[in-house]
Amino acid sequence: MGCERSALLVVAALALLCSQCLANIDFSFTGEFPEYTLNEEIVTVVFTVKAPPLQEQPPLSWTAVLDRSASMAGRKIDLLKDTTSFMIDKLAEADGSNHLGLVTYSTDVETLATVQPVGFLNAGFLKGIVNTIVAAGQTFLSGGLARGLQQQASAPGGKVKAVYLFTDGLPNVGATSTPDIVDQISSILDQSLEPISISTFGFGSDLDFGLLQSISAVGGGDTYIIDNENDIPAAFGSALGLLLSLSAQEINVVFTPEPGSVIVSVQAGGMITFLEDGSVRIVFDNLSAEEMRDILIEVRVPPAVAVVEDQNVFTVGNTYIDAPTMQRVTVNPTPYAIKRTTIITPLPPAPKVEETKIRFKTAEVLGEARKKRAEGDSEGANAVIEGLVAETKESPLADDPVIQNILSDISTAQEILGDTDMGQEPQAELEVAQLEQTLRTQRSTATRDRFRSSSAVDTPLRKKVREEAAAAVLGPLTPPPLDAELPPATLSPPPQQAVIMQPQGSFIPSIAPSPAPSPAVAAVLATPPAASPTSAPGMEDPVSAAQSVPSKSFEERRQSLRDEAVAEALRRITGEQLAAELVGANPAAADAAVDSEAMDTAAVDSAAVGPAADDPAAVDPAAVDPVAVDPAVVDPAVVDPVAVDPVAVDPVALDPAAIDAEVEAIGTDTGEIVEPPMQAPSGVMDSLRSGIGRLGLPGRR
C-alpha cells in the first residue's frame, strides 16, 4: 500500500512539473455587449488565443532550400550565403540542440548537408560549405523543395521542423504549375509523422506570389516578399525569430453551439471548417511568444421565455502541441453565456470587438480593391476604399489609436493602388497583399515598417533577431571606399581559430548523400528536366548565357574544401612552406607571401574585396577567388585524413628539424590554444605522422 501511494505521489509530482513546463496558452472571451433582450439576437464574440512571454526555446530542425540559379549571380547570392551563415551561427548557440540541413537547386538539386546537430565545433565547417555555392543554371524549385521536405520528414523527431524556401524567379524545370507543386508537397507532408512548416521567401518582380502563398499555406508557414536585396537578412531574421520563440503548434479551436443556437459566421486568420453537426473548427498552424490570434464569431440565439442571468450560447474546446516539450495539450470545453433581460441599457460595443470587426473588414475590402485594380478598374478600386474609410470613420471608436492606425494604413494602400506608376509594378500591389495578410493573421511578413499594423504585431525576440541578422550581414551602414588602401594580407588564420580539435563524443558534420527518398520525392526528382521556355533549337539558352562564373560539381567543391582544410592542418605541424606546396605555390614565393612585410599591397585588387566586410583591414581570400574557401573557417578535425597525399609534397622544401620540433610541441602550444589544451583525435594524428614518415622525415611516436 505504501509503495502504491509513493508511486501516485511521484506521478502527481511529474504531472505538476510537466504542467509548469508547458507554454500555458491563454484563452479568453470578449462579448460585444453585456446583455441582450428576450428576442432572437445575434451575439458577437471575440475569442482570443494568446501565448505568454518566452519561457523556454524549443529545439529546432531546420532545412534551408536555396535558389542558386543564374539570375542569383552577384550581390544577391553573396547576401543569401552570408544570411545563411548567420542562421547557422544563431542555431549553433544552442550547441547541438538544434539541427539543420542545406539544399540548393538550379537546373538540378544538390544536398550540401544532411540534417545534423549544429554547434560551435561544426558551424565553421558548414559555413565553409555554404561559401562554395555558385550561381548558375535554371530553376528546379519543385525538386529543391521536395528534397528539403524529405530531409525533415526523415529527420529525428521531438523538434519543431521547418523548411525555408528562397527563390528570385519562376520555376522553369520540373513541375511549374501551382496545382502540381502543391500536390507534390502535400503528398510528402502527409507521410511525415510530425508537422513540417514551410515558409517562402520571394525576391524580385518576376515572382508568382500566388504560388509562394499556396506553398506556405499548405505548409502552415508565412510568405515573405523582399523588394530590396538588402532586406534578405531582415526577412530571414524575422522568420527565425518566430521559430526561436515558438510556443505552440497545431492549435485547434472547436466551437459547438447550444441547442437552438446557430453559428452564422466566423472570421479568423486560420483554416476554418464548418462541421456537419453545426460546430466550427479553426486551426492555427503555430503561435510564437507574445503573439495572439482573434476569432470573430457570430451566433444567432433563439428567443428566451424569461429573464436569464447565464444562458449558454456555445462551448469551446482547444488542443495544441506545446512547442518546447512537443506534448499535446487538451483544454477542457468552456461555455460562453450571456444575460437575457427585458430592459437594455444602451452601451457602445466593446472596443476589442469593434477593432476586430474593422480589421477583418479592412482586409476584405483591400483584397477587393486590389482585384479591381488588377482588372484595370482603378475607379472601382478607389470607390470601395473610399466607402471603407467613410464607414470606419462612423465607428463610435473612430478616435481609438488602433482604429487610427488602420485608417492610416488604408490611406497608404489607397496611395499605392491609385498611383498609376506604382500600381503597374507587381511589387507595389504585393505590399498591399502583405497588409491584408497582416490584418487577418495578426502576423507581419514585411521587412520594413511601412504600415503601422505591421509594427503593432511585431514581437521583441523577432525584432531582436531581425536586427542581429541585418547587422551581421550588412555590417556598417557606410562601407569603406573600394579604392581604399589595404594592409598586407596574411595566409594565417586568427590565433583563436588556428587549431580546432574535435573532442571525444562530439558530433561530426555530415555531407553524405541524403537517405533514400520516399516514393513521392523520388517521383519529383525522377521527372526529366524540361527545357527552358526561352530555348529553341539552334538558339543559345539566355539563362545559361547569363552565367558569370562556371559551375563546379559538388564533388569538386567538396574536394576543394577538404584540400584547404588539410593544408591548414599540416601548416600547423610542418610550417607555412608545406601549406604553400599543397596549394601549388612556389616555396620561395609562398615564404614571401607569408611574410606580411614583403607583401605588396598594390598587388591586391581592392575591387574584389566585399564592401560589406565588417573588418576592412582584412582581405577575404574567398572574395578574391570565387571558388576559394577561407581555410580559417574549416574544422581540420573533421577532414577525411585519406584526402592527404604526402607524396605530392616536395621533401626538399621541408626542414626536418623544424618539423620534428613542431610535432613534439603539438597539443601543448598554449600560445594559440586556450587552456586546457584539447587533444587531436588519434586517427588524424596517425595519418599525419604516417604521411611524414612516407617522406622520410622524423616524427613523434
Short mmCIF file of all heavy atoms in Angstrom, two decimals, residues 235-270:
data_model
loop_
_atom_site.label_atom_id
_atom_site.label_comp_id
_atom_site.label_asym_id
_atom_site.label_seq_id
_atom_site.Cartn_x
_atom_site.Cartn_y
_atom_site.Cartn_z
N ALA A 235 14.40 39.59 -43.60
CA ALA A 235 13.33 38.62 -43.81
C ALA A 235 13.65 37.30 -43.13
O ALA A 235 12.83 36.72 -42.41
CB ALA A 235 13.09 38.41 -45.31
N PHE A 236 14.86 36.78 -43.36
CA PHE A 236 15.26 35.53 -42.72
C PHE A 236 15.31 35.69 -41.21
O PHE A 236 14.91 34.78 -40.46
CB PHE A 236 16.62 35.08 -43.25
CG PHE A 236 16.57 34.25 -44.49
CD1 PHE A 236 16.19 34.79 -45.71
CD2 PHE A 236 16.89 32.91 -44.46
CE1 PHE A 236 16.13 34.03 -46.86
CE2 PHE A 236 16.84 32.13 -45.60
CZ PHE A 236 16.46 32.69 -46.81
N GLY A 237 15.80 36.83 -40.73
CA GLY A 237 15.88 37.07 -39.30
C GLY A 237 14.51 37.11 -38.64
O GLY A 237 14.31 36.56 -37.55
N SER A 238 13.53 37.74 -39.31
CA SER A 238 12.17 37.78 -38.77
C SER A 238 11.60 36.38 -38.63
O SER A 238 11.01 36.02 -37.61
CB SER A 238 11.27 38.63 -39.67
OG SER A 238 11.59 40.00 -39.57
N ALA A 239 11.77 35.59 -39.69
CA ALA A 239 11.23 34.23 -39.67
C ALA A 239 11.93 33.37 -38.61
O ALA A 239 11.28 32.60 -37.90
CB ALA A 239 11.39 33.59 -41.05
N LEU A 240 13.24 33.51 -38.50
CA LEU A 240 13.97 32.73 -37.49
C LEU A 240 13.57 33.16 -36.08
O LEU A 240 13.46 32.32 -35.17
CB LEU A 240 15.47 32.88 -37.68
CG LEU A 240 16.35 32.07 -36.70
CD1 LEU A 240 16.06 30.58 -36.83
CD2 LEU A 240 17.83 32.35 -36.94
N GLY A 241 13.34 34.46 -35.87
CA GLY A 241 12.92 34.94 -34.57
C GLY A 241 11.60 34.30 -34.13
O GLY A 241 11.41 33.98 -32.95
N LEU A 242 10.69 34.09 -35.09
CA LEU A 242 9.44 33.43 -34.77
C LEU A 242 9.66 31.98 -34.38
O LEU A 242 9.06 31.46 -33.44
CB LEU A 242 8.48 33.50 -35.97
CG LEU A 242 7.89 34.88 -36.29
CD1 LEU A 242 7.12 34.85 -37.60
CD2 LEU A 242 6.99 35.35 -35.16
N LEU A 243 10.55 31.29 -35.12
CA LEU A 243 10.83 29.88 -34.80
C LEU A 243 11.47 29.74 -33.43
O LEU A 243 11.11 28.85 -32.64
CB LEU A 243 11.75 29.28 -35.85
CG LEU A 243 11.12 28.67 -37.11
CD1 LEU A 243 12.19 28.07 -37.99
CD2 LEU A 243 10.07 27.65 -36.76
N LEU A 244 12.43 30.61 -33.13
CA LEU A 244 13.15 30.51 -31.86
C LEU A 244 12.25 30.79 -30.67
O LEU A 244 12.58 30.40 -29.54
CB LEU A 244 14.34 31.48 -31.86
CG LEU A 244 15.49 31.15 -32.82
CD1 LEU A 244 16.50 32.28 -32.84
CD2 LEU A 244 16.16 29.84 -32.44
N SER A 245 11.13 31.46 -30.89
CA SER A 245 10.22 31.79 -29.78
C SER A 245 8.90 31.06 -29.89
O SER A 245 7.91 31.46 -29.27
CB SER A 245 9.97 33.30 -29.74
OG SER A 245 9.39 33.75 -30.95
N LEU A 246 8.87 29.98 -30.66
CA LEU A 246 7.61 29.27 -30.88
C LEU A 246 7.06 28.70 -29.57
O LEU A 246 7.78 28.06 -28.80
CB LEU A 246 7.83 28.13 -31.88
CG LEU A 246 6.61 27.71 -32.69
CD1 LEU A 246 6.13 28.85 -33.58
CD2 LEU A 246 6.93 26.49 -33.54
N SER A 247 5.77 28.95 -29.32
CA SER A 247 5.11 28.47 -28.11
C SER A 247 4.24 27.25 -28.37
O SER A 247 4.17 26.33 -27.54
CB SER A 247 4.25 29.57 -27.49
OG SER A 247 5.03 30.60 -26.94
N ALA A 248 3.53 27.24 -29.51
CA ALA A 248 2.59 26.16 -29.76
C ALA A 248 2.45 25.90 -31.25
O ALA A 248 2.67 26.79 -32.07
CB ALA A 248 1.22 26.49 -29.15
N GLN A 249 2.07 24.67 -31.58
CA GLN A 249 1.77 24.27 -32.95
C GLN A 249 0.41 23.59 -32.99
O GLN A 249 -0.08 23.08 -31.98
CB GLN A 249 2.83 23.30 -33.48
CG GLN A 249 4.20 23.90 -33.71
CD GLN A 249 5.16 22.86 -34.27
OE1 GLN A 249 5.57 21.94 -33.57
NE2 GLN A 249 5.51 23.01 -35.53
N GLU A 250 -0.17 23.60 -34.19
CA GLU A 250 -1.45 22.91 -34.41
C GLU A 250 -2.49 23.25 -33.34
O GLU A 250 -3.01 22.38 -32.64
CB GLU A 250 -1.25 21.40 -34.49
CG GLU A 250 -0.45 20.96 -35.70
CD GLU A 250 -0.41 19.45 -35.86
OE1 GLU A 250 -0.93 18.73 -34.98
OE2 GLU A 250 0.16 18.97 -36.86
N ILE A 251 -2.78 24.55 -33.21
CA ILE A 251 -3.78 24.99 -32.24
C ILE A 251 -5.17 24.76 -32.85
O ILE A 251 -5.52 25.38 -33.87
CB ILE A 251 -3.59 26.47 -31.88
CG1 ILE A 251 -2.18 26.71 -31.33
CG2 ILE A 251 -4.62 26.91 -30.85
CD1 ILE A 251 -1.22 27.32 -32.32
N ASN A 252 -5.94 23.85 -32.28
CA ASN A 252 -7.29 23.54 -32.75
C ASN A 252 -8.31 24.15 -31.80
O ASN A 252 -8.28 23.88 -30.59
CB ASN A 252 -7.50 22.03 -32.81
CG ASN A 252 -6.81 21.39 -34.00
OD1 ASN A 252 -7.43 21.15 -35.03
ND2 ASN A 252 -5.52 21.12 -33.87
N VAL A 253 -9.22 24.94 -32.35
CA VAL A 253 -10.30 25.55 -31.56
C VAL A 253 -11.63 25.11 -32.17
O VAL A 253 -11.85 25.31 -33.37
CB VAL A 253 -10.19 27.09 -31.56
CG1 VAL A 253 -11.29 27.70 -30.70
CG2 VAL A 253 -8.82 27.53 -31.07
N VAL A 254 -12.49 24.49 -31.37
CA VAL A 254 -13.78 23.99 -31.86
C VAL A 254 -14.91 24.66 -31.09
O VAL A 254 -14.97 24.57 -29.86
CB VAL A 254 -13.87 22.46 -31.72
CG1 VAL A 254 -15.24 21.98 -32.20
CG2 VAL A 254 -12.77 21.78 -32.52
N PHE A 255 -15.80 25.34 -31.83
CA PHE A 255 -16.99 25.97 -31.25
C PHE A 255 -18.19 25.05 -31.50
O PHE A 255 -18.47 24.69 -32.64
CB PHE A 255 -17.26 27.34 -31.88
CG PHE A 255 -16.21 28.37 -31.57
CD1 PHE A 255 -15.13 28.56 -32.43
CD2 PHE A 255 -16.31 29.16 -30.44
CE1 PHE A 255 -14.17 29.52 -32.15
CE2 PHE A 255 -15.35 30.12 -30.15
CZ PHE A 255 -14.27 30.29 -31.01
N THR A 256 -18.91 24.71 -30.42
CA THR A 256 -20.10 23.87 -30.53
C THR A 256 -21.30 24.65 -29.99
O THR A 256 -21.35 24.97 -28.79
CB THR A 256 -19.93 22.57 -29.73
OG1 THR A 256 -18.76 21.88 -30.20
CG2 THR A 256 -21.15 21.68 -29.90
N PRO A 257 -22.26 24.99 -30.86
CA PRO A 257 -23.41 25.80 -30.39
C PRO A 257 -24.34 24.98 -29.49
O PRO A 257 -24.45 23.76 -29.62
CB PRO A 257 -24.10 26.21 -31.69
CG PRO A 257 -23.75 25.12 -32.66
CD PRO A 257 -22.37 24.66 -32.30
N GLU A 258 -25.00 25.68 -28.59
CA GLU A 258 -26.01 25.05 -27.75
C GLU A 258 -27.25 24.75 -28.59
O GLU A 258 -27.47 25.38 -29.64
CB GLU A 258 -26.37 25.97 -26.58
CG GLU A 258 -25.26 26.15 -25.55
CD GLU A 258 -24.98 24.87 -24.78
OE1 GLU A 258 -25.96 24.15 -24.46
OE2 GLU A 258 -23.80 24.60 -24.51
N PRO A 259 -28.09 23.80 -28.17
CA PRO A 259 -29.32 23.50 -28.91
C PRO A 259 -30.16 24.77 -29.13
O PRO A 259 -30.40 25.54 -28.20
CB PRO A 259 -30.05 22.50 -28.01
CG PRO A 259 -28.95 21.82 -27.25
CD PRO A 259 -27.93 22.89 -27.01
N GLY A 260 -30.57 24.97 -30.38
CA GLY A 260 -31.37 26.16 -30.73
C GLY A 260 -30.53 27.31 -31.24
O GLY A 260 -31.04 28.19 -31.93
N SER A 261 -29.24 27.33 -30.92
CA SER A 261 -28.34 28.39 -31.40
C SER A 261 -27.66 27.94 -32.70
O SER A 261 -27.45 26.73 -32.92
CB SER A 261 -27.28 28.73 -30.36
OG SER A 261 -27.87 29.25 -29.18
N VAL A 262 -27.32 28.91 -33.55
CA VAL A 262 -26.69 28.61 -34.85
C VAL A 262 -25.51 29.54 -35.07
O VAL A 262 -25.65 30.77 -34.91
CB VAL A 262 -27.70 28.76 -36.01
CG1 VAL A 262 -27.01 28.49 -37.34
CG2 VAL A 262 -28.89 27.84 -35.82
N ILE A 263 -24.37 28.99 -35.40
CA ILE A 263 -23.20 29.81 -35.75
C ILE A 263 -23.39 30.29 -37.18
O ILE A 263 -23.47 29.49 -38.12
CB ILE A 263 -21.90 28.99 -35.63
CG1 ILE A 263 -21.70 28.52 -34.18
CG2 ILE A 263 -20.70 29.83 -36.09
CD1 ILE A 263 -20.49 27.61 -33.98
N VAL A 264 -23.48 31.61 -37.36
CA VAL A 264 -23.78 32.16 -38.69
C VAL A 264 -22.54 32.64 -39.42
O VAL A 264 -22.53 32.68 -40.66
CB VAL A 264 -24.81 33.31 -38.57
CG1 VAL A 264 -26.14 32.76 -38.08
CG2 VAL A 264 -24.32 34.41 -37.65
N SER A 265 -21.50 33.02 -38.71
CA SER A 265 -20.27 33.45 -39.40
C SER A 265 -19.08 33.35 -38.46
O SER A 265 -19.22 33.50 -37.24
CB SER A 265 -20.39 34.89 -39.93
OG SER A 265 -20.33 35.82 -38.88
N VAL A 266 -17.91 33.10 -39.07
CA VAL A 266 -16.66 33.04 -38.33
C VAL A 266 -15.58 33.68 -39.18
O VAL A 266 -15.47 33.39 -40.38
CB VAL A 266 -16.26 31.57 -38.00
CG1 VAL A 266 -14.90 31.55 -37.30
CG2 VAL A 266 -17.30 30.90 -37.13
N GLN A 267 -14.79 34.54 -38.58
CA GLN A 267 -13.65 35.13 -39.27
C GLN A 267 -12.40 34.91 -38.41
O GLN A 267 -12.43 35.15 -37.19
CB GLN A 267 -13.86 36.63 -39.50
CG GLN A 267 -15.03 36.94 -40.41
CD GLN A 267 -15.14 38.43 -40.72
OE1 GLN A 267 -14.33 38.99 -41.46
NE2 GLN A 267 -16.15 39.07 -40.15
N ALA A 268 -11.34 34.47 -39.04
CA ALA A 268 -10.10 34.18 -38.31
C ALA A 268 -8.95 34.11 -39.30
O ALA A 268 -9.16 33.97 -40.51
CB ALA A 268 -10.22 32.87 -37.53
N GLY A 269 -7.74 34.20 -38.76
CA GLY A 269 -6.55 34.11 -39.60
C GLY A 269 -6.06 32.69 -39.79
O GLY A 269 -4.94 32.49 -40.26
N GLY A 270 -6.89 31.70 -39.45
CA GLY A 270 -6.52 30.30 -39.62
C GLY A 270 -7.46 29.60 -40.58
O GLY A 270 -8.29 30.22 -41.25
#
